Amino acid sequence: MKKAVNILVFLTVVAIILPLIGALLPLLGYEFVLANYSVWAVITALLPALAAVLGAFNNDNTKSKALGTACAVLPFLSVFNAAYYIANINGNIVLVFATCFISIIACVYLALRCGTTTFNTAMVLVSACAAVGFTFIGFAAYILSWFSVISVNTVTDEIESPSGRYVAQIIDNDQGALGGATFVDIVDKDGCIDAFVFKITEKPERIYSGDWGKTPHVHWKSENCIVVNSIEYEID
């Protein structure tokens, strides 16, 4: 049983680090997109919850240093994890909030039971304060979203360059009562890593912004030159 707990804890760490990667990659000029945020929120709740249940029935009090360190940082990572999923909800809101709450509780339990005592308590206290803060922020953002403008981007057309390396995306930006805009973004497909459960791409280059509802005329003149409404744009 102890081996199963160890495996589940380290799987939790691996799954919970994905949001950290997603938050840091934009600083390097990349975008990180999970296939389904709701599903991954459930996974990052089930793994620590199952580890906590098995750990509760494990009478072996011996702790490895690696397991203790991993458990000690879990509460902090779980709070960051929750903030990331709540900020990127693209599914059932209640489900995401519930799974994030379960994940934090399970990670705190694992930290208290198996964490390294040297900085275990500090991590739990910091995470508890952060969890309370994120809960209020999350509910406030959810309530405000009903009274504010929600901007929705929809890709209405994609035009490939002659060799297929680049894709020009025509994007409809709907801002509700305020109208919106129409964008043209250039995506470099060579800079894309598709790992099925997540995708890492270079940030698209926005070359055009126009009035909402007016579809621009777009065509490629060459592999590195695109024409939007008779205006040429060079692609690096």
Side-chain angles (χ1 to χ4, degrees):
M1 187 176 290
K2 181 181 177 182
K3 186 176 181 180
V5 173
N6 290 356
I7 292 173
L8 287 168
V9 166
F10 287 110
L11 284 176
T12 300
V13 172
V14 172
I16 226 167
I17 280 177
L18 283 177
L20 185 60
I21 296 173
L24 294 177
L25 280 177
L27 301 177
L28 303 175
Y30 292 88
E31 291 185 342
F32 177 86
V33 180
L34 282 171
N36 191 303
Y37 289 88
S38 298
V39 170
W40 274 95
V42 170
I43 291 173
T44 53
L46 287 179
L47 288 173
L50 185 55
V53 171
L54 293 179
F57 292 99
N58 181 19
N59 296 322
D60 187 355
N61 291 321
T62 58
K63 304 176 183 177
S64 69
K65 186 175 181 180
L67 177 64
T69 302
C71 287
V73 299
L74 275 181
F76 178 76
L77 290 176
S78 69
V79 172
F80 187 91
N81 183 71
Y84 181 82
Y85 285 121
I86 290 171
N88 292 279
I89 288 175
N90 67 347
N92 190 305
I93 295 175
V94 175
L95 176 66
V96 173
F97 269 94
T99 53
C100 289
F101 177 77
I102 292 170
S103 177
I104 292 172
I105 296 299
C107 288
V108 167
Y109 173 81
L110 289 169
L112 292 173
R113 182 173 176 81
C114 308
T116 304
T117 55
T118 50
F119 62 104
N120 171 25
T121 304
M123 276 293 191
V124 171
L125 289 175
V126 169
S127 300
C129 293
V132 172
F134 279 128
T135 299
F136 280 109
I137 293 171
F139 275 112
Y142 177 67
I143 297 299
L144 288 174
S145 68
W146 289 94
F147 303 98
S148 59
V149 175
I150 300 176
S151 179
V152 178
N153 286 330
T154 304
V155 177
T156 59
D157 196 9
E158 292 186 332
I159 302 129
E160 285 193 347
S161 62
S163 73
R165 174 179 175 177
Y166 299 104
V167 176
Q169 294 182 335
I170 300 177
I171 300 172
D172 176 85
N173 175 245
D174 186 355
Q175 298 177 17
L178 294 183
T182 302
F183 304 128
V184 176
D185 287 358
I186 304 299
V187 178
D188 185 353
K189 292 198 294 184
D190 282 0
C192 175
I193 300 174
D194 193 342
F196 184 66
V197 295
F198 66 84
K199 184 183 291 185
I200 298 175
T201 61
E202 290 186 8
K203 280 187 177 180
E205 180 184 355
R206 180 154 295 168
I207 61 170
Y208 171 85
S209 178
D211 294 334
W212 185 49
K214 294 183 178 180
T215 303
H217 182 264
V218 179
H219 69 274
W220 289 90
K221 183 177 180 180
S222 66
E223 183 62 23
N224 296 99
C225 180
I226 189 169
V227 181
V228 181
N229 290 343
S230 302
I231 300 176
E232 296 184 2
Y233 298 87
E234 294 293 328
I235 309 301
D236 298 327

